[in-house]
């Protein structure tokens, strides 16, 4: 096969012209790409240290770092392509179309991601808190970027999307450290009210899990045809509230019996 010398010469001329015309831009783009990637890597290390010093939630650090670094790398590549002279019209349209499609498909996921970031930053609850959310009551065992795991008091694991937690009411029942235990009991009119108050106070004083402050409150809450109701409000620790309530009611019932106070339904 005979090679045309004119074609070879034409090819070399074109290559020479391209090198003279585009070579400096290509070299500049490569240098900028290498330098930019190096600076972005340094920025990532600096961000990790800064977030550690500012005590940002450990679960959030890698996600924020990755998000920022990936964005910077994409911008760097686009800038280098423009310097080299690569036309981005078609690429831009393609990326835009993919972005719109992904946004529509992943709208719920992105909402959960944004909500997870807000939860980790604003801290309406933290791991170990007892909360009521989505008709579920339990202890927060893990806060992930897309969902939160709650372990209920009857040992069920509930996975709640963060979007639900950021848009609806959350009751944090342990954040303040204490809760009020409310007890209401009914007695016949033949029982002396002061005797009931004495037993209530004795039980609160002896029960080790009752807090001294805020002050307890005892009073008549209702008057009915068949008897009167007495309410007791006493403060206890938030964690272990249900166990404390059960134990307190058991001790109170024993003390009422020892004090000779009959409860409705008790045999004569």
């Amino acid at each position: 096969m005979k090679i045309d010398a004119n074609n070879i010469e034409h090819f070399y001329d074109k290559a020479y012209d391209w090198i003279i015309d585009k070579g400096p831009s290509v070299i500049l783009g490569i240098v900028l790409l290498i330098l930019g990637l190096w600076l972005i890597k340094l920025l990532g290390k600096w961000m990790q240290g800064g977030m550690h010093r500012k005590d940002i939630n450990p679960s959030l650090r890698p996600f924020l770092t990755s998000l920022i670094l990936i964005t910077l790398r994409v911008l760097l590549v686009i800038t280098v392509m423009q310097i080299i002279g690569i036309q981005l019209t078609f690429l831009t349209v393609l990326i835009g179309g993919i972005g719109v499609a992904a946004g529509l498909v992943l709208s719920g996921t992105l909402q959960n991601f944004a909500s997870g970031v807000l939860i980790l930053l604003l801290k309406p609850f933290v791991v170990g808190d007892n909360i009521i959310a989505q008709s579920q009551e339990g202890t927060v065992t893990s806060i992930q970027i897309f969902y939160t795991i709650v372990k209920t008091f009857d040992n069920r694991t509930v996975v709640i999307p963060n979007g639900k937690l950021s848009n609806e009411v959350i009751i944090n029942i342990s954040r303040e450290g204490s809760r009020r235990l409310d007890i209401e009991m009914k007695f016949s009119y033949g029982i002396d009210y002061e005797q009931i108050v004495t037993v209530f106070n004795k039980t609160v004083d002896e029960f080790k899990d009752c807090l001294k402050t805020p002050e307890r409150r005892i009073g008549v809450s209702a008057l009915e045809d068949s008897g009167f109701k007495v309410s007791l409000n006493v403060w206890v620790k938030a964690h272990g509230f249900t166990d404390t309530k059960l134990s307190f009611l058991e001790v109170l019932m024993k003390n009422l019996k020892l004090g000779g106070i009959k409860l409705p339904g008790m045999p004569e």
Side-chain angles (χ1 to χ4, degrees):
M1 181 178 178
K2 186 177 180 180
I3 300 176
D4 192 340
N6 291 329
N7 289 337
I8 295 177
E9 183 178 356
H10 179 71
F11 171 77
Y12 283 121
D13 288 340
K14 286 289 185 180
Y16 178 78
D17 291 339
W18 185 88
I19 292 174
I20 295 299
D21 184 38
K22 300 293 184 179
S25 299
V26 173
I27 294 173
L28 177 62
I30 293 173
V31 172
L32 180 61
L33 179 63
I34 295 173
L35 181 61
L37 291 174
W38 178 71
L39 290 175
I40 290 173
K41 185 177 180 181
L42 288 182
L43 177 63
K45 294 181 179 179
W46 177 82
M47 286 179 57
Q48 287 285 1
M51 287 189 287
H52 178 73
R53 288 191 297 271
K54 292 184 179 296
D55 197 29
I56 293 178
N57 194 293
S59 300
L60 187 57
R61 294 174 195 168
F63 293 98
L64 285 178
T65 303
S66 298
L67 183 63
I68 294 174
L69 296 185
I70 289 173
T71 302
L72 291 175
R73 290 189 182 109
V74 170
L75 292 175
L76 175 63
V77 171
I78 292 175
T79 302
V80 170
M81 292 175 70
Q82 289 179 330
I83 291 174
I84 293 175
I86 298 176
Q87 296 297 323
L88 297 179
T89 304
F90 173 74
L91 183 61
T92 303
V93 173
L94 180 62
I95 293 175
I98 294 174
V100 171
L104 292 174
V105 173
L106 301 175
S107 57
T109 302
L110 293 176
Q111 181 184 9
N112 289 331
F113 171 82
S115 299
V117 172
L118 289 176
I119 289 171
L120 291 169
L121 287 175
L122 301 179
K123 298 181 179 179
F125 55 84
V126 297
V127 172
D129 279 354
N130 295 334
I131 67 171
I132 300 175
Q134 298 295 302
S135 301
Q136 303 292 334
E137 179 176 352
T139 303
V140 178
T141 59
S142 178
I143 303 174
Q144 302 296 327
I145 202 68
F146 294 110
Y147 56 85
T148 293
I149 299 176
V150 175
K151 186 176 182 180
T152 63
F153 298 138
D154 57 351
N155 206 33
R156 290 175 295 138
T157 297
V158 181
V159 180
I160 305 176
N162 287 331
K164 293 288 186 181
L165 294 175
S166 66
N167 293 324
E168 298 185 18
V169 175
I170 304 170
I171 302 175
N172 192 325
I173 56 179
S174 64
R175 186 169 192 166
E176 299 302 323
S178 62
R179 287 181 65 183
R180 195 178 72 184
L181 173 59
D182 298 328
I183 296 172
E184 186 178 63
M185 304 185 74
K186 188 174 181 178
F187 302 91
S188 68
Y189 285 112
I191 299 176
D192 181 38
Y193 170 70
E194 294 300 329
Q195 187 181 2
I196 296 171
V197 172
T198 299
V199 173
F200 275 23
N201 279 321
K202 176 177 181 295
T203 304
V204 173
D205 290 336
E206 293 177 351
F207 197 77
K208 60 181 178 61
D209 291 327
C210 290
L211 303 177
K212 302 300 181 183
T213 56
E215 291 290 334
R216 75 195 71 172
R217 183 169 61 180
I218 303 173
V220 177
S221 57
L223 299 174
E224 300 176 354
D225 293 339
S226 57
F228 63 98
K229 292 181 178 180
V230 179
S231 286
L232 166 65
N233 306 133
V234 63
W235 293 84
V236 298
K237 293 180 180 179
H239 287 282
F241 176 82
T242 301
D243 292 335
T244 301
K245 180 178 180 179
L246 295 176
S247 299
F248 183 84
L249 286 173
E250 181 181 348
V251 174
L252 178 60
M253 183 178 66
K254 290 179 180 178
N255 287 340
L256 288 171
K257 289 181 177 180
L258 291 174
I261 300 174
K262 295 181 178 179
L263 299 175
M266 290 181 62
E268 296 292 336

